Each structure stands twice: as C-alpha cells, then as structure tokens.
C-alpha cells in the first residue's frame, strides 16, 4: 500500500504542475476562454474513450505493467507540452495525455485488490490523499518554476521527469496484485468471448445509475477547476503563482481529509451518510460562490466546495468496489474512470458556455444544477449489493 501510494504521488505531482499553468500558457499562443475549455475537454474526452480499455487490459495483463505504460505516456505528453509553439500542439499534447490517462482507475483497482472489505475506504482514501498531496506539491512547484517570466517549458519538463521517476519506482518496488491464475482466467474469458462487455456488465451488476454519479461529480469538479483560475484572475488580478498557491492549500486539505480523517469518519457515519454530507458541503460552497465578490468570500467558497467534493470520489470508489465481483473490478473501475472523464468533458463545456452567456454567477448556478441531481441520488436508498460482489475467502 505505501509503495502504490508513492507511485501515484510521483505521477500526480507531475499532473499537478500543469494545472495552474494551462490557463496562462494557452493565451500566449492565441487561445481564448473557449479554447482553454476545449483543451480541458480534449484531455477528458480521450481519457473517457480509453479508460475502460486500460481497466480491461489490467485484468488480463496485471495492474503493474499497465500503470508503467500509462506513466510512460504521461511523460511523453509533458515533453510535447513543453515543446509546444502553436495552439494545435497544446491540443495534441493534452489529447495524447488523455489517451494514456488510465492510472487512477488501474491504481484504484490495485488498491481494491490488496485491501480487505472493511479497510477499503481507508485504501481508497490513500489514493485520494496521494492526489491531494500531488495538488499540494505540483501546483506550488509549477508556480515557482514558472516564476514571473511566463516561461512554462521548465515546469512541463519537470512534470515529465516526475512521471519517469514514477516508472522507475513502479519497476523496482511495486508488486503485482493480480495473481497469474486470475490473469490467465481473465485472458481466457476475453479470448472465448465469455467476459461481459461494459454495458452488459453494468446491467448485470445494476450499476448504471451509480456510474452516472461519476459523470455528475466530475462535471461539477471540472467546472470548478476551469472557473477558479479565470475567476481569481479576472476579479482579483491573480496569476499562475497565486492560483498555484490556492490549489496547493486545497491539496493540503485533501491530504488531511482523505489520508487522515476518511477512515474514522466512515467508521463513525458509514459510507452512504458521509457521502450525503460531503455533497451537501459541495452544494453550500457553490451557493456561496454565486454571491462572493471579495477575496475572503471567494476563497471560502472554493475551499468549502472543494473540501466537500474531496471525500466524494474515494467514497464512490469504495461503494463501487464493494458491490463488484473481484474479477470485474478492473473493468468496473476503468469504466467509472471513463465516466468521470466524460464528466470532465461536459463540465468545462457547460461552464464555458454559461460564463460566456451569463457571467460568473450564471456559471456557478450551472454547477449547482449538476450537484442538485447528484444530491438527489445520494438522498435516496443506497444501491443494493449484487450477489456476485459478496466478499469471499479468496479475497485478502
């Protein structure tokens, strides 16, 4: 578990480096606010297409080789971004990064492999904590490396180096979590056609509505991520360094919540009740953003919304893995990762359109509508566990 945490952390530091950079790098090459949204969408759309493939491949070949392959693709994409001299090159770099973006889904499947039924929420929280710590170190490092000169080549190259370090760490220290017998069985099912396709799997497990929540969650979060740098830049005149610090502080909050508090909170309230509380905090933060006009209220809205959203994804992953049979978890978590990617397509497009037509208040209201559907689902009855997902003695 610590080794997997470290590999994911190295990868996400590189990912975090480019978060505060893209909204400022792209306009240097002629991009407007719509182009920035489309750049985010190009990454998410390609990740949505490739996500189920990486999950199925990890069931057949193992988690470790797929993680290393995706890390290699991420390194190449960062170098492409560093060398970009025209706007289309940024689109190409981010699209290729999206195609290779299978790591989080596969890492979540590996964490599901190596944790017990009772400890799965804590394990998923560690994946989220790695993401949060990457958002602490990555944006801070990206902002510092970019400096006041506006040159973003060095931050992108450093991001590529972080992915290479993650490859070496995985190669040397990360053990495989899928047994050779299970890999062989999954490969036979793939060859003889008995392994269910994605839509059939969702029907059999009764997970279609659950997977839809990944779309809504990611659409809301990607809208926030798209709007925050522009919002702070237009209203407060902030640049890449200040925005990087904001994301870095939020990353520290994510580490505290997911790495330290998620397990005790789940034991105290249960996954389902805690999910309702977190979505409600997300909603309150977005409502505050509609009316915020000064720096303290704007930052309060950002941190309240993002802190509520922070625990939602590990909770959704825990609920999903607990109700999915072990031999389908790679495919299922790859599918949920893909669904989240399609949410990251919808979110920036919706936020960009609302921002153009109605300003920032209208863009935040659009996010609220998405979260209303999300909250309405969570306030209903918890999804029942499929019989095939019941824990067995074969699980660790």
């Amino acid at each position: 578990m610590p080794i997997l945490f470290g590999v994911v952390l190295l990868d996400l530091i590189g990912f975090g480096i480019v978060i505060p950079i893209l909204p400022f790098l792209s306009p240097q090459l002629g991009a407007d606010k719509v182009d920035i949204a489309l750049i985010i969408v190009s990454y998410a759309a390609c990740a949505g297409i490739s996500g189920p493939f990486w999950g199925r491949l990890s069931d057949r070949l193992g988690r470790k080789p797929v993680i290393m392959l995706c890390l290699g693709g991420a390194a190449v994409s960062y170098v492409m971004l560093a060398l970009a001299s025209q706007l289309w090159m940024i689109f190409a770099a981010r699209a290729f990064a999206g195609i290779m973006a299978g790591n989080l889904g596969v890492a979540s499947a590996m964490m599901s492999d190596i944790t017990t039924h009772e400890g799965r929420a804590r394990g998923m929280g560690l994946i989220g904590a790695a993401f949060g710590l990457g958002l602490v170190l990555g944006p801070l490092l990206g902002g510092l490396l970019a400096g006041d000169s506006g040159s973003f080549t060095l931050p992108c190259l450093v991001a590529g180096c972080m992915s290479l370090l993650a490859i070496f760490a995985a190669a040397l220290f990360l053990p495989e979590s899928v047994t050779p017998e299970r890999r062989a069985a999954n490969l036979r099912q793939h060859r003889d056609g008995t392994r269910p396709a994605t839509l059939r799997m969702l029907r059999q497990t009764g997970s279609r509505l659950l997977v839809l929540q990944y779309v809504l969650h990611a659409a809301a979060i990607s809208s926030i991520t798209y709007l925050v740098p522009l919002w702070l830049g237009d209203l407060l005149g902030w640049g890449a360094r200040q925005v990087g610090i904001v994301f870095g502080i939020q990353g520290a909050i994510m580490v505290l919540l997911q790495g330290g508090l998620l397990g005790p909170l789940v034991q105290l309230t249960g996954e389902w009740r805690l999910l309702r509380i977190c979505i409600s905090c997300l909603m309150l933060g977005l409502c505050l953003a509609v009316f915020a006009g000064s720096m303290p209220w704007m930052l309060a809205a950002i941190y309240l919304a993002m802190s509520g959203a922070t625990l939602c994804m590990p909770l959704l992953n825990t609920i999903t893995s607990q109700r999915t049979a072990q031999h389908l978890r790679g495919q299922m978590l790859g599918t949920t990762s893909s669904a989240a990617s399609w949410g990251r397509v919808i979110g920036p497009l919706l936020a960009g359109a609302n921002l153009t037509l109605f300003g920032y208040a209208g863009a935040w209201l659009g996010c609220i509508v998405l979260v209303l559907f999300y909250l309405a689902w969570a306030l209903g009855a918890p999804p029942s566990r499929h019989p095939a997902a019941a824990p067995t003695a074969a699980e660790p």
Side-chain angles (χ1 to χ4, degrees), residues 41-363:
V41 165
S42 65
Y43 173 90
C46 291
I49 294 170
S50 66
F53 166 77
W54 294 121
R56 291 192 300 268
L57 189 65
S58 74
D59 285 334
R60 300 196 303 270
L61 301 183
R63 316 292 188 213
K64 178 176 177 176
V66 174
I67 287 176
M68 293 177 62
L69 182 60
C70 291
L71 287 170
V76 172
S77 73
Y78 294 137
V79 174
M80 293 170 63
L81 195 62
L83 299 178
S85 58
Q86 299 182 45
L87 186 58
W88 70 265
M89 299 174 72
I90 294 182
F91 277 98
R94 297 309 291 161
F96 181 74
I99 292 172
M100 304 303 296
N103 265 344
L104 279 182
V106 177
S108 297
M110 176 176 275
M111 186 62 76
S112 178
D113 294 337
I114 65 177
T115 52
T116 63
H117 179 79
E118 293 77 13
R120 194 153 297 144
R122 177 176 172 270
M124 295 299 179
L126 280 179
I127 295 291
F131 191 92
L133 193 54
L135 288 183
V136 173
L137 301 176
L140 288 175
L141 185 58
L144 291 173
L145 291 173
D148 298 322
S149 64
S151 175
F152 301 115
T153 301
L154 180 59
C156 294
L157 291 176
V158 171
C161 290
M162 298 307 296
S163 292
L164 291 177
L165 286 175
I167 293 175
F168 290 128
L172 294 176
F173 305 114
L174 187 65
E176 179 55 60
S177 64
V178 183
T179 64
E181 295 79 12
R182 186 167 296 279
R183 293 200 301 270
N186 289 336
L187 186 59
R188 285 195 301 271
Q189 288 181 344
H190 173 73
R191 287 175 176 172
D192 61 23
T194 59
R195 187 174 181 83
T198 298
L199 292 178
R200 183 182 167 198
M201 176 195 66
L202 294 179
R203 287 195 301 269
Q204 288 177 347
T205 58
S207 300
R208 285 174 291 184
L209 197 57
L210 174 60
V211 170
L212 177 61
Q213 307 318 308
Y214 284 83
V215 178
L216 295 176
H217 174 86
I221 300 308
S222 62
S223 296
I224 296 172
T225 305
Y226 164 72
L227 289 170
V228 163
L230 301 176
W231 196 39
L232 296 176
D234 288 345
L235 272 67
L236 302 180
W238 286 7
R241 175 173 292 184
Q242 294 90 338
V243 173
I245 292 173
V246 170
F247 279 108
I249 294 173
Q250 180 56 48
I253 296 173
M254 290 176 67
V255 172
L256 175 64
L257 291 175
Q258 296 189 359
L261 298 180
L262 179 58
L265 288 174
V266 167
Q267 291 180 355
L268 182 65
T269 65
E271 290 95 346
W272 195 250
R273 185 176 299 173
L274 182 58
L275 181 63
R276 292 171 174 171
I277 294 171
C278 293
I279 298 174
S280 299
C281 290
L282 170 59
M283 174 69 74
L284 289 175
L286 291 173
C287 291
L288 181 59
V290 174
F291 303 101
S294 62
M295 182 183 70
W297 287 109
M298 292 168 70
L299 294 179
I302 292 168
Y303 290 137
L304 179 59
M306 295 297 288
S307 297
T310 288
L311 295 180
C312 292
M313 186 57 73
L315 289 170
L316 283 175
N317 283 337
T318 300
I319 293 168
T320 301
S321 65
Q322 287 178 347
R323 63 191 311 275
T324 304
Q326 189 179 28
H327 69 283
L328 292 175
R329 282 181 192 153
Q331 183 177 359
M332 176 62 79
L333 289 170
T335 300
T336 58
S337 177
S338 174
S341 295
W342 287 115
R344 288 188 284 272
V345 172
I346 297 170
L349 288 177
L350 181 63
N354 287 333
L355 178 60
T356 302
L357 295 174
F358 308 113
Y360 285 106

Side-chain angles (χ1 to χ4, degrees), residues 349-390:
L349 288 177
L350 181 63
N354 287 333
L355 178 60
T356 302
L357 295 174
F358 308 113
Y360 285 106
W364 291 124
L365 285 171
C367 296
I368 290 173
V369 172
L370 292 173
V371 178
L372 276 174
F373 288 104
Y374 190 15
L375 182 59
W377 170 81
L379 292 175
S384 58
R385 187 187 308 277
H386 192 267

